[in-house]
Amino acid sequence: MKSLLSQLRGCLVFIGYVFNTLFWATPLLVVSLFKLLPIPALRRLCSRILDALASGWISCNTFMEKHFHPVKLTITGDLQLSKAQWYMVIANHQSWVDILLLQRIFNGKIPFLKFFLKQELIYVPVLGLAWWALDFPFMRRYSSAQQKKNPKLKGKDIEITRKACAKFKHQPVSVMNFVEGTRFQKVKHGKQGSPFRHLLRPKAGAMAFALSAMEEIDKLLDVTICYAQDVPSFWDYICGHGGDIRVHIQLREIDASMRGDYQNDRAFKKQFQQQLNQIWQHKDEVLGQLQTG
């Protein structure tokens, strides 16, 4: 009976998410049409309105989370944040629930979170337009083989990223990056031969490209997410089985040593990876402490 009630709650919450998304998506798509007009001042105004609409969407999702599937959420660390600051946000990745938690924790406390997306995702019906309207930066990466075949592509990816991020010079932004590149699983951990107990190896490229493209970002929000019981799936979470979740936030400065030509400067590439590995080693220790309470 208890399981049946949990499943019913999950269905009701999912329906609530769908209706909430449709409610906010309608004005978002309407405003995005005005953003197509080549008027810089109008586009900046539309961007602010769109971020406000997206923030309202998250607030409604959070309301449902707190009342329909509450969890024991403990947040520690640096909590003095600002909506007037530019942030790079990194976190360990274990479940799609991570995204809901990050939105819930930071909504209204820092600028609206933007995720780096692959260029191809802009063609996804409806969502592609919504992501474009919300100024999510689209990245196009060229492999070494592609660059060798066509030398003109060398440096093209960072230039595309720099242009995509140019709009952030006029408005504070938070850029989200799961540097492990995928969700943690024991099988993946074993295949990688990861030197960390609780984490996969961090990938430095996308983060280095972003910092090079956006000089305004000078704060790093290092978020460690710990599920004290089993890691919940999205369905588990909305059914009320999130359990005890512990989150630690550490604010770091981003200095000149973290900016450079990651693609062509081997010395900088090695140094940047070492810096990220040091951050990840500390995160691994923090995660271990959170797991033991």
Side-chain angles (χ1 to χ4, degrees):
M1 185 66 178
K2 187 176 180 181
S3 177
L4 180 61
L5 290 175
S6 295
Q7 298 293 316
L8 179 60
R9 176 164 54 181
C11 291
L12 291 173
V13 172
F14 182 76
I15 292 171
Y17 276 139
V18 171
F19 276 100
N20 184 45
T21 299
L22 293 175
F23 175 82
W24 292 100
T26 302
L28 188 147
L29 293 176
V30 170
V31 175
S32 68
L33 294 176
F34 289 96
K35 195 177 178 182
L36 291 170
L37 298 174
I39 305 174
L42 178 61
R43 284 185 169 181
R44 287 194 290 270
L45 175 62
C46 288
S47 292
R48 291 186 175 89
I49 295 173
L50 290 165
D51 280 356
L53 291 171
S55 182
W57 171 69
I58 293 172
S59 295
C60 290
N61 284 343
T62 299
F63 177 85
M64 287 188 288
E65 290 173 26
K66 289 181 177 179
H67 289 82
F68 290 98
H69 47 284
V71 296
K72 182 183 177 184
L73 179 60
T74 305
I75 306 171
T76 58
D78 299 314
L79 305 178
Q80 299 299 316
L81 306 172
S82 171
K83 291 182 68 176
Q85 179 66 55
W86 280 260
Y87 294 101
M88 169 65 70
V89 184
I90 60 173
N92 58 312
H93 194 18
Q94 302 163 85
S95 166
W96 289 114
V97 177
D98 299 342
I99 298 173
L100 296 177
L101 287 174
L102 290 167
Q103 291 177 332
R104 174 175 175 173
I105 292 168
F106 293 120
N107 188 41
K109 297 180 177 64
I110 64 176
F112 184 73
L113 282 171
K114 315 282 186 179
F115 292 81
F116 273 93
L117 301 172
K118 294 180 180 179
Q119 180 70 29
E120 294 77 13
L121 292 178
I122 198 171
Y123 301 109
V124 175
V126 182
L127 286 177
L129 179 59
W131 288 327
W132 171 84
L134 288 168
D135 291 328
F136 278 44
F138 290 91
M139 293 186 71
R140 175 172 291 173
R141 301 293 298 276
Y142 296 102
S143 66
S144 299
Q146 288 176 307
Q147 294 180 42
K148 188 174 181 179
K149 186 175 181 180
N150 185 359
K152 291 183 179 179
L153 295 179
K154 190 173 183 178
K156 193 78 173 178
D157 43 9
I158 185 61
E159 185 59 32
I160 291 173
T161 304
R162 188 173 285 113
K163 288 181 178 179
C165 298
K167 63 194 72 175
F168 298 146
K169 295 179 181 293
H170 306 288
Q171 183 178 340
V173 69
S174 302
V175 177
M176 179 66 223
N177 188 3
F178 290 114
V179 296
E180 290 167 297
T182 184
R183 286 170 289 171
F184 178 90
Q185 292 177 353
K186 289 185 178 180
V187 174
K188 296 176 184 177
H189 183 265
K191 285 183 177 180
Q192 280 192 355
S194 174
F196 310 105
R197 290 182 60 197
H198 313 289
L199 302 167
L200 300 178
R201 293 178 181 271
K203 299 179 180 180
M207 181 177 169
F209 278 3
L211 293 180
S212 176
M214 291 180 285
E215 297 179 358
E216 291 77 16
I217 296 180
D218 60 358
K219 295 290 188 295
L220 179 67
L221 270 183
D222 180 9
V223 185
T224 304
I225 302 172
C226 171
Y227 300 98
Q229 284 83 46
D230 293 334
V231 176
S233 65
F234 173 75
W235 181 249
D236 291 334
Y237 183 67
I238 66 175
C239 286
H241 304 311
D244 182 3
I245 303 175
R246 303 161 188 171
V247 178
H248 183 74
I249 302 170
Q250 182 166 356
L251 183 64
R252 302 171 182 268
E253 296 292 327
I254 295 174
D255 56 29
S257 67
M258 298 189 76
R259 303 185 197 275
D261 188 349
Y262 184 85
Q263 189 167 15
N264 301 304
D265 188 338
R266 289 189 177 182
F268 171 74
K269 183 176 183 177
K270 182 178 179 180
Q271 172 210 312
F272 189 92
Q273 184 68 62
Q274 288 175 341
Q275 284 182 287
L276 185 55
N277 286 344
Q278 289 172 358
I279 292 173
W280 229 239
Q281 181 61 52
H282 178 70
K283 179 185 289 293
D284 198 43
E285 295 168 3
V286 170
L287 188 51
Q289 294 169 3
L290 291 175
Q291 288 179 348
T292 59

